[in-house]
Each structure stands twice: as structure tokens, then as C-alpha cells.
């Protein structure tokens, strides 16, 4: 196996498509958003590429007894009355610094081969506390992209996120810019402790406005309700614990 | 030394052989099984390949003062009235993610060079508690392989093992599938705390039915009896400890 | 993206320039010094090279919503009445041992391409305690370089720093020497606990004498005053703590 | 800088030389032995090769203000009335598994280029307790080498060292054997807690018999006396501590 192998599962003609990336990260915001997008637009979507890499964990996942080698997938989506999409999903990011560069480059190669020159990287930005109002924070490769995003409700803040954007989302902007992509990162605010379907919805609502598609949110809202129940139980436990001991953030990290 | 060097120790003619992998892993189930297989079929087996790699630990093992460089070995076994086998054993898995891909690819190369297109990866699946009845859980590369395995007593469970299969066994399925192998992983249930000859026997009994060989289990049962003694002593100690303190899993991790 | 990509942002003619390196390290002494140098000589400086590498963290930094891929930068500075400079700055060192070699080699390549054959690596040497008098410790690639540095107040000590010099500063000397560079490392003494503008000033004052430029230190002194305030508060806290508990070095590590 | 660069410092003619390796390891036994050998045979030795590598730490050591890039060195020694030697010393082993393979291969390349086909790897084997009688344990690449070593007092034990030999000493045997070297590892017993000149002397006394040179041990014995003083103080401290608390091995790890 080479460092990287790209399987061409199907070929489709797309008109000036936009790459939308949703790999796992903070609060699983990006992956929840991208997977919901694919579920809701299932009728219009086609799996076009599988990307295998020695940079992924050496692993197969098992469903009903059948093994699937870890990979990233790119679906082509022909949205009626909207922009064509290339949606990038997967179970893993790269396992090394070097691997992040290799995979982000490969994703851009595929996007270019379909004629894409714009991209949206979806993710979460951790706030450290439970959230009432879900703001979406933006970062772009060119100042000219800011105004239309602000019109869609995206917030741009001085020096935020403070530590920059790390991993594939960051590199899709950084390496994308060097290759002439207009790239935007949309980061839904999220506590950072829990899988966060509400934050994913906030990000998708911005994307709807920017790219001209419309989604039903019933399934995502159901998952949000399930999380509400979990949060409720955690808060109960916390109150009980506070009468006994100091609770820690680790108690509620990534339950979903 | 190159990243990988394959020594051709002997050449033999095999008829449609099946690769059987038993490298170290959970409960040493896979390696116990493969080594027992080789011991019992010693008269019919020939060491055909040694695989050296910079992905293995930088180590020699010492026996009677003589050093042997860490490697994996493949024996050819001509089973009377059964399928020919290629049995893969060794003291180590790769030390990095990337190395797992490199070695699994090399193992498949060797198997292909002997005309193999089927494989069994043997291992253990940890249950976290001492076991009475040793089930064998399966995973395959193609749904059509499930029925004959179920007939041989293998269990297929939804989404189990939950975290997928990691390491060389997982990749032999994942990479094997991409190269046209029909691949099966047989995982004996095991506590995960102890070297487990009983679990290895459960796995081998499935393999006997699938591949048409017959083994004597006396030596493996003797090792199982030795482990029973160890378990008995641990349980005694636990009972004594419970009167004093809380015991930990670490007390009994991998005694063998 | 290749392991290394060097963008030629501008071309300038330099006369026998000296490479001055100030990447992050102990007390941020080197980076504070190099950045202050660039700020004060802004009128005479031009960004000439950006160096991108898979050895840097996979990250973009965000300023006013616009993303910048992690890189190192080299500015050319034409100092009136002084030596021409190539000033190397950046937010990160390499993330692996191997990466340090790759990046240091690349920095030397760029310096050579501008005709440089001398270099100064700037950094800090930790003393473990707050400092009153800021000595500058030196290390060189050739004994003949020591005397003029001692005349400028640099101290050379037997076997100090005891553990040698690790990272890009060390390799610029080690690899530079192998390529014929006359290389000097100037290490300002610093506690090791705090970002240290005073230590950076001590280093720059040596450099002024060696290379014939003159700097205003107002901005650096302001930062030093801010740090004094921080130190004052820490010392207060320590006194309060000592009445309660034993304080640890970790309480004051890298506040800046 | 390439992954590996070998500087030819001098050329000498050697007659069937033997490679003697003494890089840092348990109790610094191997490096103490090789360095003592070079000191005592200084009049007959010539530095012939320096080996630089990206596998070494990215570091320069400083002596009297002058920086030296981390490397391994090979000296040629023309022993009167004895076998010619190639003595390999250095401050570091490789930093990664993969690096151990790369460096051991390079060392064998150099040895071969001088016509060597035999080697001795020197090191220590930890016993976990302070030692009265310093046995030397051996491991070889071919059974035929055992008898003459036993005649020189070397002990060969079943399956010892139990974990095999890791690092450059192990690989010089493992890779050396694959290239036709007759290779021996001499391991002086040592507590594992302290730099151990007595163990180094025990190893060198075996080597004297095997290779026909004679050494004065005054300097090594002086270092041993210094260590005795340290051990005496530690034992005093331990006795005092035992009256207060349980001492730990970490208290005395590698004082030297």
C-alpha cells in the first residue's frame, strides 16, 4: 500500500462545485454537519472517491460482521437550484503532524480534479461552558470573503480562535490558499464537552444561505433532544456531587 | 538495511494455500493458536520466508547465547486431506501506525507469491471478565463468508468489536479485501488479563472445521491447566485483598 | 505539499549579509530580540522568503478573521553604516528531531543563496532563578571568534550550557560549521519561567556592537516593565502562599 | 543534510580489523570501556570517520565555548602484537526505532569498508542490585564463537538477557550476522543504577584476552573509587531513610 491511494468509485460531471469538509473534531460539529447534509440530500448524492492512507489509524471498522478499511469519503451532491457540492467525511483525521499535510493536500487534489476552487471547512470552537445561543465564528483566506459571511450571521473576532486552527480544517485554508482556493472555516461554538448537534445545525444554517440549498433538521433536532437528556442527567449528577465533592470537566467529556 | 527485507529460506509448491496469521495481541490468543498449529503439524511444515523490517523493534532475542534478529516467519504446511496453509508467526507487531500498513502489505505480498487468495487472521477480543464459555467472534471482508462460519459456530454481532480491529489483523482484512483476498478474522473471547490457551483452542477448533485439519490439544490444554493454577492463586489473593483493600486489574495483567 | 516549500516573496541585493535567527525558545529571548530588531529597522527591511514545511505544526493562525499558514519568515535588512542582515523569525520550531535537521538545512540554504557566510543564533539560557544582571553566554563554531565577542561583553564558560544547545540554534552552529559558516550563538541568561524582554535587550546590545547597527529600546523596555508588574504580583502571591503552602515553579512558567 | 553523512577524516591501512562498539547504554558500561580503550591506546589510534545523522538528537555539545555537532566517531587503532581495532564511540544512540536500524547499518558499512568481518558490541546487563563479583554475559551470532569466549571467562546463560538486546548493540549482532560478520556482545553485569567503571573493566579484561592487547586500568580504577564514595554516601542515606521512609530506586539512578 502506498502512503496514499485514491479509489475512483464513480465519475460525475459537476458545475463549479464547492468542497465541504466535515471530519471529526471538537464536539463532532463538523462531522455531524457534513453527515446530516449527506443524509438529507441522499437522493442527489453519489459516492465518488475513497481515500485510503497509511496516515490513518491501522484499523477496520466492523458493521454486521463485515470489515471496512478506514478511509475518507467524498460524495458529489447535485443540489437543485443550489451550488454543486463535494462533501468530505470520514472517521479519522491523520495521526501525525506530517500526515495532516499529506491528507489535506490529497483532499485538495481531488477537489481540484472536479473543478472546485472554493471550500468550506466545518468544525467547532470550544467555549468551555454549556451554550445557550449558538454563534458561528469564521475564518477565511481572503478579507473579501468576510462581508457576505457577516451578512449570513457569521462572527469574525480579533485573534480568535486564539490558538489558530489545527488539523485538516486549518490546513485546507492554509494549503488551499496557496493553491488559489477561496476557503472559509465555519466554527460553531460548542462547550467542547459533548457531541453537539445544535452547534452543527447553526453551522449548516449559515451554509444554506451561502450555497443555496435547504435542509430538513428533524433528525438533527432529535439527536439534539437526546443530548439535552444527557445534559440534564449530568447537571443533576453535578448538583448531587457538589454536595459531596468538586466535579471535573472530565466527567462529561464527549458523551454522545 | 532497507525498510523491509524478505529472506526466501525455502521454496515449496502449494495448492491454493490459505494464509493463517497469529501475531501477538490480546491474550496472546492468535500467537498461541498459530504456534500450537505449527507444533502439532511440525512434520508437514517448512519455514519458507523470514521478514525483517525497520518497523520491528531494534532487537535481537537470545536463545542459548545465540542472537536472532527480530523478524516474522512464514511456514508452509502441507496438510494431509486438508487445505495447504501458510502460517505467519512472530514476536512483534509493527511499532508505528505507518509500520502496520507496511508489514501487512508485505505479508500479503508473500501470500500472493504462493498463490493464496484466502486468509484467516487469529486474535482475541477482550471481555473484561474471566470467561466460562469461549465464544469465537467473526469479521469478514464479504457477507457471503458469514454463513459457513456461523455453521462452524462463529458468532457475528452488530457493531462488535465496537472499536473495530486494530493492527495487523485488521489490516489483513482491510488491505486484503482491496487486493481480492477473501479474509476472515476469528477472535476468541478472552478476559484480556491473562495469556489464554483456552481461547486459542476455541479459535483453532473453528479453523479445523473450515480448513479440514485435525489437531491434538494436549499441549495447549497443559498450558491452560497451568493458567488455571495461576488464576486460582490470583482469586485467592483477591479474596484476601478484598478483606484489606480494593484489588486492581493491573494485578493480573498478562501473567503467562 | 512537499516536505519543504520556499516562497520567494521579493529579491534584494545584499552585501555580505549576516543571518540572525530568533525562533521561539527559552524565555522567548531569541524571538523577542529578532522581532524587536525588525520593528526598529522596519524602514530598512523587506520580507524576502517564506518557508513552509510539513515539519511545522499543521496549523493556521488567525488575525482579524484571515488565516495564515504556519511558516518561518526571512527579512532582508539594509542597515545604514552597518552590516546587511537576514533576520529569521517564526512562530514555531520543528516538531520532530528529524524536522530540526531539515529546517536548519533549509535556513542555511536560503542564507547561502543571499551570499551569507556568517550567522548569529539568538536564544536564552535558563538559570532557574530571577535575574538581576543579564549576562550573555556565547558559543561559536571556531575558537578565533571568541576574542571579539569577549570584547563585546560575551561570557564563555567551560562546558556551559551543560546539556549543549538543542534545536534550530544548535543546528545552525553544527550544520553551519560543516558548510563553512562562521556561526555564533548568543544566549541571554533568563530565569526560564517568564518571557524575558530584558534578556532580549542584553542579547541585542551585544549584536549592536558586533554588527554596527543602533536600536531604540523604548518598546522592549515597556514590555519589560509589564513583565516587572507580573513578577511583582507573582512574588506577592508567593509570599502569601509560603504562609500557606510550598509554591512550585509551574505557577510562574511562561507568563507573558 | 542527508539522513546520514559520513566524513572521512583520515585513511589508514588496517589488517583484518575488529569493530569494537561502545555507545551509551545501561550503566554506561560500553561507553566507559571503549573510551578507556582509546585513552590507553591513544598513541596508536587515529580518528578515521565521523558519522552525522538526522537520527541523532538535534544538538551541539559545547566545550570551552566551541560547538560540536552530535556525531559518532570511529577511531582506527593499530595495536602492537594484537589485532587492529576500529573503535566506535559517541554521545548518543538513535532517537527512534527506525533510526537504530539506519545507524547500525551505517556503522557496519564503515567497518566493511575497512575490511572488518568481526565485531564486539560492549554494554551492561542490569541486575537490579549492587554487585560484588562482576560477571560478563555473552551473546553471539554463531554457536562456534561460544567456546573461546567461555575460556576467557564469559558466561552464556539460557534465555538471558530475557528481553533480548535492544538498540545498536543488538542490531550490530542481528544485522551484522545477515552481512556475514562474526559478532559478539559482551555485557558486564551492573546494578543499572550507577555509572559502573568496574563493570567496564570486567568487559575490557575479556576483550584483552580475545584480541591480544594490554591496558593499564589506573584511570578506570580511579573513577571506580569515586563511584565507591558515591555508593557509600547513598548507602548511608538509605540507612537514614529506612528509619524514616521507603527509599526508591530513582534516588540513585545514574549518578556518575
Amino acid at each position: 500500500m502506498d502512503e496514499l491511494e485514491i479509489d475512483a468509485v464513480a465519475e460525475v460531471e459537476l458545475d463549479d462545485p464547492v468542497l465541504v469538509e466535515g471530519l471529526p473534531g471538537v464536539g463532532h460539529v463538523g462531522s455531524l454537519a457534513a453527515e446530516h447534509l449527506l443524509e438529507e440530500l441522499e437522493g442527489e448524492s453519489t459516492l465518488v472517491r475513497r481515500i485510503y492512507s497509511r496516515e490513518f489509524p491501522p484499523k477496520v471498522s466492523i458493521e454486521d460482521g463485515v470489515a471496512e478499511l478506514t478511509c475518507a469519503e467524498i460524495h458529489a451532491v447535485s443540489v437543485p437550484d443550489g451550488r454543486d457540492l463535494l462533501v468530505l467525511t470520514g472517521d479519522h483525521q491523520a495521526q501525525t503532524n506530517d500526515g495532516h499535510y499529506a491528507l489535506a493536500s490529497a483532499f485538495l487534489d481531488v477537489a481540484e480534479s472536479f473543478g472546485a476552487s472554493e471550500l468550506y471547512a466545518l468544525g467547532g470552537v470550544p467555549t468551555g461552558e454549556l451554550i445557550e445561543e449558538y454563534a458561528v465564528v469564521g475564518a477565511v483566506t481572503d478579507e473579501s470573503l468576510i462581508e457576505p459571511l457577516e451578512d449570513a450571521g457569521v462572527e469574525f473576532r480579533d485573534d480568535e480562535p486564539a490558538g489558530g486552527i489545527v488539523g485538516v480544517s486549518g490546513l485546507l485554508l492554509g494549503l488551499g490558499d496557496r493553491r488559489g482556493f477561496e476557503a472559509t472555516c465555519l466554527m460553531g461554538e460548542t462547550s467542547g464537552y459533548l457531541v453537539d448537534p445544535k452547534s452543527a445545525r447553526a453551522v449548516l444554517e449559515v451554509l444554506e444561505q451561502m450555497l443555496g440549498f435547504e435542509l430538513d433538521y428533524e433528525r438533527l433536532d432529535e439527536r439534539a433532544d437526546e443530548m439535552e437528556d444527557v445534559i440534564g442527567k449530568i447537571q443533576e449528577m453535578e448538583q448531587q456531587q457538589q454536595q459531596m465533592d468538586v466535579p471535573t470537566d472530565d466527567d462529561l467529556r464527549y458523551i454522545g
Side-chain angles (χ1 to χ4, degrees), chain A residues 15 42 91 97 217 244:
Chain A
D15 178 24
E42 203 182 357
D91 288 337
N97 281 355
Y217 287 104
M244 295 156 39

Side-chain angles (χ1 to χ4, degrees), chain A residues 1 7 9 47 49-53 56-73 90-92:
Chain A
M1 161 119 173
D7 282 13
V9 183
L47 174 63
R49 294 288 183 276
R50 279 204 189 92
I51 297 138
Y52 298 93
S53 172
F56 284 127
K59 217 188 94 174
V60 287
S61 57
I62 309 295
E63 202 162 332
D64 299 328
V66 179
E68 289 290 336
L69 182 58
T70 294
C71 66
E73 294 185 340
D91 288 337
H92 295 280

Side-chain angles (χ1 to χ4, degrees), chain A residues 17-23 30 33-35 37-38 73-75 77 83-89 111 116 118-122 172 184 186 203-204 207 211 213:
Chain A
V18 180
L19 177 67
V20 176
E21 172 263 328
L23 291 176
E35 281 157 18
L37 183 61
L38 284 180
E73 294 185 340
I74 294 183
H75 285 77
V77 187
R83 294 279 299 271
D84 283 355
L85 307 178
L86 288 165
V87 181
L88 168 61
T89 56
E118 290 174 53
L119 70 85
Y120 286 83
L122 311 184
L172 286 178
T184 299
L186 297 176
V203 166
L204 282 173
L207 213 59
L211 298 178
F213 57 79

Side-chain angles (χ1 to χ4, degrees), chain A residues 35-46:
Chain A
E35 281 157 18
H36 184 72
L37 183 61
L38 284 180
E39 276 179 38
E40 294 303 315
L41 300 177
E42 203 182 357
E44 287 87 36
S45 82
T46 312

Side-chain angles (χ1 to χ4, degrees), chain A residues 18-20 83 118-122 135-157 165 173 182-188 202-212:
Chain A
V18 180
L19 177 67
V20 176
R83 294 279 299 271
E118 290 174 53
L119 70 85
Y120 286 83
L122 311 184
V136 175
V137 178
V140 293
T141 51
D142 193 277
E143 220 183 327
S144 66
L145 299 169
I146 292 179
E147 200 180 306
L149 287 159
E150 284 185 332
D151 292 347
V154 178
E155 297 183 17
F156 286 83
R157 301 169 182 174
I165 305 171
L173 268 69
E182 292 190 347
T184 299
C185 187
L186 297 176
M187 292 160 279
V203 166
L204 282 173
E205 285 174 344
V206 170
L207 213 59
E208 283 183 316
Q209 292 184 59
M210 299 307 293
L211 298 178

Side-chain angles (χ1 to χ4, degrees), chain A residues 173-184:
Chain A
L173 268 69
L175 297 178
D177 184 38
R178 284 174 58 71
R179 291 161 75 148
F181 275 79
E182 292 190 347
T184 299

